[in-house]
Amino acid sequence: MQENTKQYYIITMGCQLNENDSEKIQGILKNMGYEKTDKIEDSSIIIFNTCCVRENAEERLLGKLGEVKKLKEENGTIIAIGGCMMQEKHMQDKIKQSFPFVDILFGTHTLNNLEKDIKKVLEKKEKVRDILDIDGEIIENLPIDRNDKYRASVTIMNGCNNFCSYCIVPYVRGRERSREPKNIIDEIIDLAKKGYKEITLLGQNVNSYLRVEREKNIQFEKYEGIDSFAKLLRKINEIEGIERIRFISPHPKDFTDDVITAIRDCDKICKIIHLPLQSGSTDILKIMNRKYTKEQYLNLVEKMKKNIPNVVFSTDIIVGFPGETEEDFEDTLDVVKKVHFEQVFMFIYSRRKGTPADRMENQIPEEIKHKRFNRLKELVEAQIEDNNKKYIGTIQKVFVEGKSKTNDKVFTGRTETNKVVNFEGTNDMVGKVLNMKILSEHMWYLKGKVV
Ligand code: 5AD
Ligand code: SF4
């Protein structure tokens, strides 16, 4: 390892909450004098921020660790692994056993110790295990080095109380905790001052923001009357400089009327709602512990369509949950047909150690899971094409994100409904919301023209 290089390389797996944690890790490393590099071989620290929601993340991590072993041997590179996967005892044990060269294991509740942990390795050459098994602790005032200049994620709550039977998150992120309203509002005001235009509010269950605190009478500082998700949305909508507000992920069971009217009333809230379905079968939803039926989900969608002009939806769907019959799967297809989602994140059910669904005996054979996945994919892609056609000839408000990676003249942005729009533009357009006429559709993006 060369002296004075002080570069780090970071690999982030998983959801936007993890991306946001990685930005905090980046902030900590920047404060320590480290620079980010995208050349792994030049780094003196390699950080993995892991996810454990599905099995493929595990395979990816273990494969990568095999690769970095050589860098460790040749350069003495510090290897640190953090994130959700490290909250799982069997994964901690696996790393210790198979990859003893790893220097730091840290969890989701100990980001604030990272600087200390790295110093311990540097100064004392110790191996560090810094993992706490606690609830969704909120750590304020961590430094942050954001990846984007105009769009920012803001975590508003941590942890999950729902225990969907397939999901590992409640075990690795602990129980729900909400951030104090004032801390959130101050952060967003500060972001607006720095030129950020789009805010995505994050949480495993964003629309139950402050619910546990209200129900259990846990004291929190009341700020400007904010005591619910709906009121938080309304307040953020007033912040000058912010032009778009998104949030992920809400739970259908917590989608109260006050949230629906807040979405309707607040002009900055994007009228695309991510509403995780998981399955369209009432029987499967019950075993999943989702606490709604097929009909209740469809009614909720109808209610929102009636109350919020031009609202559209995106969703998450799991295919091949234990016991899923052909009929159950067809219920899922039926909901997809009825709702006409703009975007569907499709997942093949993945067994997670310690969850109730992993202990169920009627697991679905891989072959059937894959066949169903492909059938769903076909339907979704046909619908996306159909939806895209409706954009042609319309004028859309497009938030310009930057240059295309492949063509210098082509710029790229997103509609309020999260569709990628490519167009010919100039550098001064970046960071602005511009009106564009949509000329054509190309499955994963639309072509537009500034008007
Ligand atoms: N298998 C497959 N998909 C899962 N998800 C959560 N747990 C699992 C699992 N065990 C999906 C859900 C969730 C999204 C973030 O990941 O659809 O909404
Ligand atoms: Fe997992 Fe369900 Fe909580 Fe989402 S709501 S994090 S799927 S347990």
Side-chain angles (χ1 to χ4, degrees):
M1 182 174 53
Q2 293 164 29
E3 270 329 296
N4 304 328
T5 44
K6 295 209 37 162
Q7 299 199 76
Y8 74 91
Y9 182 88
I10 185 162
I11 299 176
T12 308
M13 298 163 176
C15 66
Q16 291 198 40
L17 272 148
N18 244 21
E19 295 274 353
N20 192 232
D21 278 351
S22 280
E23 293 183 324
K24 290 172 188 157
I25 294 172
Q26 292 175 184
I28 293 167
L29 287 163
K30 194 174 178 184
N31 276 4
M32 291 176 75
Y34 284 87
E35 251 175 52
K36 189 173 172 176
T37 175
D38 50 12
K39 291 199 187 105
I40 194 166
E41 62 280 5
D42 289 349
S43 59
S44 41
I45 301 186
I46 299 173
I47 310 249
F48 293 90
N49 190 12
T50 63
C51 164
C52 57
V53 168
R54 287 171 296 274
E55 193 180 0
N56 46 12
E58 265 158 43
E59 286 156 12
R60 210 178 133 212
L61 175 72
L62 301 180
K64 263 279 175 235
L65 282 177
E67 285 173 37
V68 299
K69 185 169 184 229
K70 214 170 126 236
L71 290 174
K72 176 80 192 167
E73 283 165 359
E74 286 172 3
N75 305 332
T77 317
I78 294 174
I79 316 284
I81 313 180
C84 294
M85 207 191 287
M86 290 309 103
Q87 295 292 137
E88 294 182 289
K89 180 80 176 62
H90 72 276
M91 284 310 292
Q92 294 167 20
D93 293 345
K94 182 156 191 129
I95 303 283
K96 275 186 223 167
Q97 222 174 43
S98 311
F99 305 94
F101 60 87
V102 171
D103 299 284
I104 304 171
L105 298 188
F106 63 104
T108 50
H109 308 296
T110 45
L111 276 193
N112 51 330
N113 294 342
L114 189 60
E115 177 167 355
K116 248 192 323 207
D117 293 343
I118 293 173
K119 283 188 175 154
K120 247 189 226 165
V121 176
L122 285 170
E123 287 158 15
K124 302 193 185 144
K125 310 277 172 243
E126 277 176 23
K127 297 266 180 244
V128 179
R129 306 282 172 261
D130 192 2
I131 297 160
L132 288 178
D133 193 8
I134 53 170
D135 291 342
E137 195 83 342
I138 302 286
I139 308 165
E140 291 291 345
N141 299 322
L142 283 177
I144 187 156
D145 182 19
R146 296 184 179 273
N147 292 330
D148 198 286
K149 272 162 63 188
Y150 304 104
R151 291 174 305 155
S153 301
V154 174
T155 300
I156 64 165
M157 51 101 59
N158 235 330
C160 183
N161 287 0
N162 293 328
F163 290 92
C164 301
S165 60
Y166 51 81
C167 188
I168 191 76
V169 168
Y171 305 90
V172 295
R173 288 268 181 176
R175 295 298 68 69
E176 279 178 30
R177 287 282 161 82
S178 293
R179 276 179 82 192
E180 297 268 350
K182 184 170 189 320
N183 292 333
I184 298 171
I185 300 296
D186 283 350
E187 183 175 346
I188 300 176
I189 291 174
D190 183 54
L191 286 165
K193 281 190 191 138
K194 289 182 173 134
Y196 283 88
K197 301 276 194 306
E198 181 174 311
I199 299 295
T200 302
L201 305 174
L202 301 178
Q204 267 90 20
N205 200 355
V206 276
N207 55 344
S208 76
Y209 176 69
L210 286 179
R211 195 195 56 193
V212 174
E213 284 77 0
R214 277 194 317 269
E215 284 174 3
K216 295 198 175 156
N217 265 326
I218 298 172
Q219 286 301 311
F220 59 90
E221 193 197 334
K222 276 248 176 70
Y223 177 71
E224 304 256 336
I226 303 170
D227 61 358
S228 67
F229 184 56
K231 288 188 188 153
L232 181 72
L233 285 174
R234 287 182 186 274
K235 196 76 211 160
I236 297 170
N237 196 61
E238 290 170 11
I239 297 177
E240 215 176 298
I242 298 303
E243 298 192 25
R244 279 187 176 175
I245 304 165
R246 301 183 191 275
F247 54 87
I248 42 170
S249 277
H251 194 300
K253 79 172 166 59
D254 296 317
F255 228 109
T256 43
D257 288 352
D258 58 339
V259 177
I260 298 177
T261 46
I263 297 170
R264 181 197 64 198
D265 297 344
C266 297
D267 58 325
K268 296 176 183 175
I269 300 179
C270 292
K271 302 298 183 269
I272 178 163
I273 306 299
H274 187 67
L275 198 62
L277 169 67
Q278 313 300 5
S279 168
S281 151
T282 295
D283 290 346
I284 294 294
L285 286 168
K286 189 156 184 17
I287 311 167
M288 282 180 163
N289 194 28
R290 290 290 291 173
K291 303 189 177 82
Y292 53 85
T293 62
K294 175 185 180 184
E295 286 67 34
Q296 282 168 335
Y297 184 93
L298 287 171
N299 288 342
L300 178 61
V301 166
E302 276 318 303
K303 182 154 79 174
M304 285 202 244
K305 281 185 178 168
K306 226 169 78 192
N307 285 284
I308 309 166
N310 299 322
V311 72
V312 293
F313 297 90
S314 61
T315 199
D316 291 346
I317 292 176
I318 298 176
V319 169
F321 182 83
E324 184 187 71
T325 62
E326 178 59 27
E327 216 185 332
D328 292 322
F329 176 64
E330 277 173 16
D331 270 329
T332 298
L333 298 179
D334 187 46
V335 176
V336 172
K337 281 180 199 149
K338 288 191 167 120
V339 182
H340 242 267
F341 296 103
E342 284 285 306
Q343 223 176 348
V344 181
F345 299 92
M346 296 170 272
F347 306 105
I348 291 178
Y349 169 69
S350 173
R351 295 177 76 162
R352 304 286 70 207
K353 250 199 193 104
T355 60
D358 182 46
R359 296 189 288 273
M360 293 175 190
E361 273 165 17
N362 43 3
Q363 300 288 328
I364 304 293
E366 288 302 315
E367 197 193 321
I368 296 181
K369 284 193 210 171
H370 279 91
K371 274 195 182 141
R372 287 186 186 156
F373 181 86
N374 288 336
R375 280 167 64 196
L376 175 63
K377 192 162 162 265
E378 246 172 62
L379 171 65
V380 166
E381 287 182 356
Q383 286 196 332
I384 290 178
E385 219 179 315
D386 224 38
N387 283 345
N388 283 353
K389 283 193 187 123
K390 292 186 196 137
Y391 282 84
I392 298 175
T394 62
I395 306 285
Q396 297 287 324
K397 282 191 164 38
V398 177
F399 185 103
V400 183
E401 289 174 2
K403 253 184 203 156
S404 137
K405 287 192 185 93
T406 45
N407 186 335
D408 241 17
K409 274 201 198 120
V410 176
F411 283 72
T412 181
R414 273 173 201 271
T415 64
E416 199 182 305
T417 53
N418 227 359
K419 290 264 178 225
V420 175
V421 180
N422 289 343
F423 62 98
E424 277 189 22
T426 45
N427 280 323
D428 58 308
M429 292 176 179
V430 177
K432 293 188 179 139
V433 178
L434 301 175
N435 280 335
M436 288 194 202
K437 184 167 184 170
I438 304 303
L439 305 174
S440 56
E441 67 92 14
H442 306 262
M443 196 71 197
W444 303 117
Y445 68 96
L446 306 170
K447 251 191 204 159
K449 189 176 127 204
V450 182
V451 289

